[in-house]
Amino acid sequence: MRQLIAGNWKMHGLTAEAAAIATPLLDAGALTRDLLVCPPATQIAAVVRILAGSPVAVGGQDCHTETHGAHTGDISAAMLRDAGARFVILGHSERRQNHGESDALVRAKTLAAVAAGLTPIVCVGETDAERQAGRESSVVGGQLTGSLPDGFAGVVAYEPVWAIGTGRTATEADVAAMHLFIRQELVRRFGAAGEETLILYGGSVRPSNAASLLAVPHVGGALVGGASLKAEDFLGIARA
Ligand code: PEP
């Protein structure tokens, strides 16, 4: 199974910046890993146009549970799909924290994404305090149970909250232990399908640490925030 390198641009990217990040990806050449960029919603259609004909996929960063309706400011999975997105990040810790998203809401969004033909990337991960208290497995296990619907067919991203945007990366041993735990949970719940699920690692992935992180067993790729805003760094990770 090919690894997936997914870039989460978060709330970055006016028109010129989005073009500056996306355009060099056209010259990536042959890669052994798949690439995905998730621009802000306002830039999805433009980035899809820039990357047309290339193997680089485009995704959203969130979606609503409903297909349409009176939900001012929200965007449905069908709208993302209509704009050319193929993936959507769901349950990112910044949405769980800043928008109070619960596991149940993430599960409902995941169902909506799949119904619209998108591949969901469901994020889980413990806070620093939870890890200090030795609760990382129970927290992540609970998030998986609550956020993944029955029959889940998508991608999981393990993102320890304390490693996001901090420059602190989880150790290879910690990543190995957590990815093994997540794999076991996926197989326990989804059987053989759980063996195939890509489990991305996210949290301060850089070109300099990508090779070692991507070599850890059960790591199916990376979810990259800050380093995805420079095509050179993003491609450096993809080539690591
Ligand atoms: C993220 O936002 O998903 C992320 C992993 O960010 P960063 O790479 O900047 O830590």
Side-chain angles (χ1 to χ4, degrees), residues 5 25 31 33 35 205-211 214 227 230-240:
I5 309 299
L25 304 181
L31 295 171
R33 300 183 172 110
L35 287 190
V205 177
R206 304 276 178 268
S208 55
N209 60 22
L214 290 168
K230 279 193 190 155
E232 189 187 329
D233 288 347
F234 191 55
L235 289 173
I237 292 167
R239 294 183 177 121

Side-chain angles (χ1 to χ4, degrees), residues 73-84:
D74 284 314
I75 294 171
S76 73
M79 290 169 176
L80 294 176
R81 186 73 178 72
D82 183 54

Side-chain angles (χ1 to χ4, degrees), residues 8 10 92 94 159 163-165 202-206 223-226:
N8 173 14
K10 310 193 186 192
H92 190 281
E94 287 155 14
E159 299 208 298
I164 295 177
S204 299
V205 177
R206 304 276 178 268
L223 182 51
V224 184

